[in-house]
Amino acid sequence: LRIALPRARACGVQAEALKKAQGKLRQVTATRRVSTAVSGMDELALRSSLARAREHNVEHGIVEEAEGALKRIAAINSLAAAVCGSDENALEQALDRARGAGVQGDSLAEGREALARLKASRELSAASDAGDQHGLEAAIARAKVAGVSTSEVHVAESVAARMAARTQLEDAAACGDLVAL
């Protein structure tokens, strides 16, 4: 069409036919651009090409596909931001939004892992505050599996060690065990 239009104009083709061909060229160009933007997962390019696609009456199925891709990109970006934060609720909402938008693969896995870390960290802190040695030891084990920071785990292990030493001292004192004291 790009080559044919100037030739048709030069040959005196009617303005109405030229206008129709130009409209078709715009539609084909918009279709190509939106398809390229969908495959590139570039939010800005996709928004721009989607606006042009609507303007030039691109096939409805292609527009819907682009809208779905735009929702997935927005959900992935929201999830990535939530993964970097420390708000469990925001991360859970971002995960739900991503699942609803059809996001799959590494992004969801990373989000689930980050959520598990946040929950394990919260449980570790609560167990440390509760003063329950066995509960703390279980929380430490879960925190290690979830990938909670080593510094946070070391602090909890120190608390658990102090609890164990205190319990051992109390037991020795209660039994009158001079050697253990």
Side-chain angles (χ1 to χ4, degrees):
L1 281 173
R2 287 184 198 276
I3 296 169
L5 275 169
R7 285 185 183 166
R9 196 174 290 117
C11 292
V13 172
Q14 293 179 340
E16 184 63 33
L18 287 173
K19 186 176 181 180
K20 190 174 181 180
Q22 287 172 330
K24 185 64 176 174
L25 177 60
R26 288 186 193 106
Q27 184 182 36
V28 168
T29 302
T31 300
R32 191 171 292 143
R33 284 184 179 155
V34 78
S35 295
T36 300
V38 165
S39 64
M41 298 298 284
D42 178 346
E43 185 175 6
L44 187 58
L46 187 53
R47 284 188 188 283
S48 172
S49 65
L50 188 55
R52 283 183 164 239
R54 288 183 185 120
E55 182 182 320
H56 296 295
N57 300 317
V58 168
E59 183 183 317
H60 183 69
I62 294 172
V63 170
E64 281 185 339
E65 180 185 345
E67 289 170 341
L70 197 55
K71 286 179 184 175
R72 283 189 300 280
I73 292 170
I76 288 169
N77 291 341
S78 174
L79 183 56
V83 163
C84 294
S86 60
D87 185 341
E88 271 184 63
N89 291 330
L91 184 51
E92 285 176 339
Q93 289 172 359
L95 276 165
D96 288 344
R97 208 173 16 249
R99 282 187 210 102
V103 174
Q104 298 176 351
D106 292 344
S107 294
L108 279 182
E110 187 178 333
R112 285 190 298 266
E113 289 168 6
L115 183 59
R117 271 191 309 277
L118 286 175
K119 286 181 177 183
S121 177
R122 178 179 40 80
E123 290 171 3
L124 191 60
S125 179
S128 289
D129 293 344
D132 174 18
Q133 180 182 347
H134 296 294
L136 180 56
E137 289 169 353
I140 289 169
R142 286 190 300 273
K144 286 179 178 179
V145 170
V148 172
S149 72
T150 54
S151 62
E152 199 172 340
V153 170
H154 287 310
V155 168
E157 287 172 331
S158 295
V159 170
R162 283 192 304 273
M163 285 180 183
R166 186 181 65 233
T167 300
Q168 187 178 16
L169 181 63
E170 289 170 354
D171 289 347
C175 293
D177 186 351
L178 295 176
V179 174
L181 286 172

